[in-house]
């Protein structure tokens, strides 16, 4: 329901009354049934749940924490937590359709919602009308969420040049946020600052919660999601201020809200279960994970090995069902929208979804950065393509690019 609250007015304006707009809270969310793993506060910070390696890539603590969280979830989460799966969410969606008295649904899914949407279209092709998948990941049934996380390394590398260009633009002199003279200087600056904070965390305005290297890295990932060009929202500015404060010996950094306090137990349980319940993960061999982290850190210093590190999923119960394989079997009624520089679901993963869907889909690739595009990142061409499809059923005749 939160998504409809956030986007409802914009959708009503854009679609001009063409639809009844409805939403529901999936299992584990909002007013639906939730679960808790009863995790200690220190295990519920975003930098803990995301399994960032320690200084110099050390993962011993990550292994111990992941085992501890998995055991807590098995002990306290109950059948409710085990039921938070994509397959169940898809079944719930179809029951929702039945309750609405509708023969078919039209839908718009973003991020993980694109995978849910693709699985629904695979399972219930006769019940799909106009289907929009906005910012898709690779649907490989052997990896699913594990693959999505691993792909974030390349996604951050693809997206970071947008921040570097913004942070060195002459306009930053006017607002006091210019971090360097040239774009190529920004990544070394951020990487070296994070390494310094690994060794010497900084006191912040939040008592008892310092700014660590991993805090800076996580703040960067959050900042890369939206497009700074979409006025009046400029998500790059808070991160630039954080970098400046962390560099200033006399400064006191202000932590982003999402890093300043532990996540609610119910939200932490959902974060873990959504990525662990769908597919079996490799056993937590310290040696194999250490090798993967070392290689990923060397290749992608901005994410420092986090996307391939051990998670509670390696100690999880075997999933009850196998993931669905997405195929081209069904009506040709899907429009995909994908950013060329997406930090969470990079284009190469979206192309895997496009390949799996075959002639069922058309792809609109937007020439900008960010995650979640329709009515969110200010690309008029992409917005027009989606609105045209939803209101008339017409899609581009073939895959196409959108400049602006």
């Amino acid at each position: 329901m939160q998504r409809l609250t956030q986007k409802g007015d914009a959708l009503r304006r854009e679609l001009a009354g063409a639809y009844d707009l409805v939403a529901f809270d999936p299992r584990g969310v909002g007013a639906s049934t939730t679960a808790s793993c009863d995790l200690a506060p220190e295990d519920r910070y975003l930098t803990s749940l995301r399994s960032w390696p320690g200084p110099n890539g050390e993962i011993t603590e990550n292994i111990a924490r992941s085992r501890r969280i998995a055991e807590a979830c098995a002990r306290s989460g109950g059948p409710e937590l085990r039921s938070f799966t994509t397959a169940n969410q898809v079944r719930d969606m179809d029951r929702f359709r039945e309750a609405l008295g509708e023969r078919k649904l039209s839908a718009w899914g973003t991020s993980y919602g694109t995978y849910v949407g693709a699985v629904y279209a695979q399972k219930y092709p006769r019940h799909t009308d106009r289907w929009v998948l906005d910012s898709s990941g690779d649907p490989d049934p052997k990896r699913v969420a594990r693959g999505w996380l691993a792909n974030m390394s390349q996604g951050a590398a693809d997206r970071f040049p947008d921040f570097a260009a913004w942070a060195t633009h002459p306009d930053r002199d006017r607002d006091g946020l210019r971090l360097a003279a040239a774009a190529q200087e920004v990544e070394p600056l951020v990487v070296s600052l994070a390494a310094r904070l690994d060794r010497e965390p900084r006191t912040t305005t939040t008592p008892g919660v310092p700014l660590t290297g991993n805090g800076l890295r996580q703040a960067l990932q959050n900042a890369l999601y939206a497009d700074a060009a979409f006025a009046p929202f400029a998500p790059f500015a808070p991160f630039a201020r954080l970098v400046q404060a962390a560099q200033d010996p006399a400064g006191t950094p202000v932590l982003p809200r999402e890093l300043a306090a532990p996540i609610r137990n119910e939200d932490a349980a959902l974060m873990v279960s959504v990525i662990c319940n769908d597919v079996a993960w490799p056993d937590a061999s310290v040696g194999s994970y250490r090798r993967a982290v070392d290689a990923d850190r060397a290749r992608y210093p901005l994410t420092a090995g986090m996307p391939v590190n051990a998670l509670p999923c390696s100690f999880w119960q075997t999933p009850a069902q196998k993931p669905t394989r997405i195929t081209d079997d069904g009506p040709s009624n899907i429009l995909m929208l994908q950013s060329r520089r997406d930090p969470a679901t990079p284009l190469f993963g979206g192309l895997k979804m496009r390949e799996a869907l075959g002639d069922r889909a058309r792809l609109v690739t937007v020439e900008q950065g960010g995650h979640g595009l329709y009515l969110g990142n200010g690309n008029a061409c992409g917005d027009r393509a989606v609105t045209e499809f939803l209101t008339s059923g017409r899609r581009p005749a073939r895959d196409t690019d959108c400049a602006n």
Side-chain angles (χ1 to χ4, degrees):
M1 293 298 294
Q2 184 183 30
R3 188 71 170 171
L4 184 56
T5 300
Q6 294 170 341
K7 296 287 188 179
D9 288 344
L11 279 169
R12 291 183 188 96
R13 288 193 300 270
E14 193 75 8
L15 301 180
Y19 290 90
D20 294 323
L21 301 178
V22 295
F24 75 103
D25 290 333
R27 300 182 189 205
V29 175
S32 291
T33 298
T34 60
S36 172
C37 297
D38 292 330
L39 301 179
E42 59 268 23
D43 288 339
R44 288 188 277 115
Y45 281 92
L46 188 54
T47 48
S48 299
L49 291 168
R50 279 291 175 92
S51 207
W52 290 93
N56 302 315
E58 177 54 50
I59 67 167
T60 302
E61 184 177 351
N62 297 130
I63 295 285
R65 181 186 296 116
S66 293
R67 184 188 297 275
R68 184 167 65 243
I69 290 173
E71 290 173 351
C73 289
R75 184 171 57 250
S76 303
E80 290 83 8
L81 187 73
R82 294 283 291 164
S83 78
F84 299 163
T85 66
T86 300
N88 279 338
Q89 185 166 328
V90 164
R91 281 190 282 267
D92 291 345
M93 283 177 61
D94 203 54
R95 292 191 180 98
F96 189 55
R97 176 194 61 78
E98 292 176 347
L100 292 170
E102 298 290 340
R103 188 171 65 88
K104 290 185 176 184
L105 294 176
S106 292
W108 163 39
T110 301
S111 195
Y112 169 63
T114 65
Y115 179 66
V116 175
V119 174
Y120 185 95
Q122 186 72 36
K123 292 281 190 180
Y124 302 105
R126 291 178 299 171
H127 297 324
T128 60
D129 191 0
R130 298 167 190 175
W131 223 242
V132 177
L133 306 184
D134 180 348
S135 304
S136 301
D138 184 350
D140 180 355
K142 295 179 181 178
R143 289 165 58 82
V144 192
R146 182 164 64 93
W148 303 336
L149 284 171
N151 289 350
M152 288 176 66
S153 298
Q154 181 66 59
D158 291 345
R159 175 66 164 140
F160 188 82
D162 291 337
F163 170 71
W166 179 90
T168 54
H169 193 279
D171 285 353
R172 302 290 79 75
D173 286 328
R174 185 175 57 209
D175 52 32
L177 294 177
R178 195 171 190 181
L179 297 183
Q184 62 267 29
E185 299 172 6
V186 179
E187 182 173 338
L189 183 156
V190 172
V191 170
S192 64
L193 177 59
R196 189 191 319 159
L197 291 168
D198 282 338
R199 301 186 299 270
E200 301 173 1
R202 292 288 303 275
T203 299
T204 70
T205 58
T206 304
V209 186
L211 175 62
T212 64
N214 286 337
L216 187 77
R217 295 179 185 105
Q218 184 62 59
L220 171 63
Q221 302 313 304
N222 295 346
L224 295 179
Y225 270 56
D227 194 329
F230 184 35
F233 183 50
F236 290 166
F239 181 71
R241 292 191 188 97
L242 186 65
V243 170
Q244 287 185 326
Q247 289 180 297
D248 182 359
T252 303
V254 179
L255 290 175
R257 183 175 59 182
E258 63 272 15
L259 301 183
I263 295 170
R264 288 192 324 147
N265 249 306
E266 294 82 359
D267 296 334
L270 182 66
M271 280 183 62
V272 174
S273 61
V274 162
I275 62 174
C276 295
N277 278 341
D278 274 0
V279 64
W281 288 53
D283 292 335
S285 160
V286 176
S288 64
Y289 276 107
R290 180 170 287 124
R291 288 188 293 274
V293 166
D294 287 347
D296 213 57
R297 283 171 61 85
R299 187 175 181 185
Y300 302 107
L302 290 169
T303 45
M306 177 273 291
V308 298
N309 199 6
L311 285 170
C313 309
S314 295
F315 301 96
W316 212 251
Q317 299 178 51
T318 302
Q321 295 178 260
K322 292 183 178 181
T324 298
R325 179 176 293 279
I326 305 302
T327 74
D328 60 359
D329 184 18
S332 184
N333 61 355
I334 298 172
L335 180 67
M336 294 179 59
L337 188 65
Q338 199 82 19
S339 164
R340 191 165 289 281
R341 299 182 302 282
D342 188 319
T345 53
L347 179 60
F348 71 86
L351 292 175
K352 293 289 187 180
M353 178 72 85
R354 174 70 184 87
E355 180 182 6
L357 289 168
D359 196 51
R360 295 197 67 185
R362 298 292 183 269
L363 171 64
V364 175
T365 302
V366 174
E367 297 287 341
Q368 68 177 65
H371 179 68
L373 295 172
Y374 184 51
L375 304 182
N377 268 335
N379 187 278
C381 172
D383 287 353
R384 282 196 303 271
V386 174
T387 299
E388 172 74 7
F389 173 56
L390 288 176
T391 55
S392 72
R394 292 189 294 271
R395 300 177 305 181
R398 59 186 63 84
D399 292 352
T400 187
D401 284 357
C402 266
N404 52 49

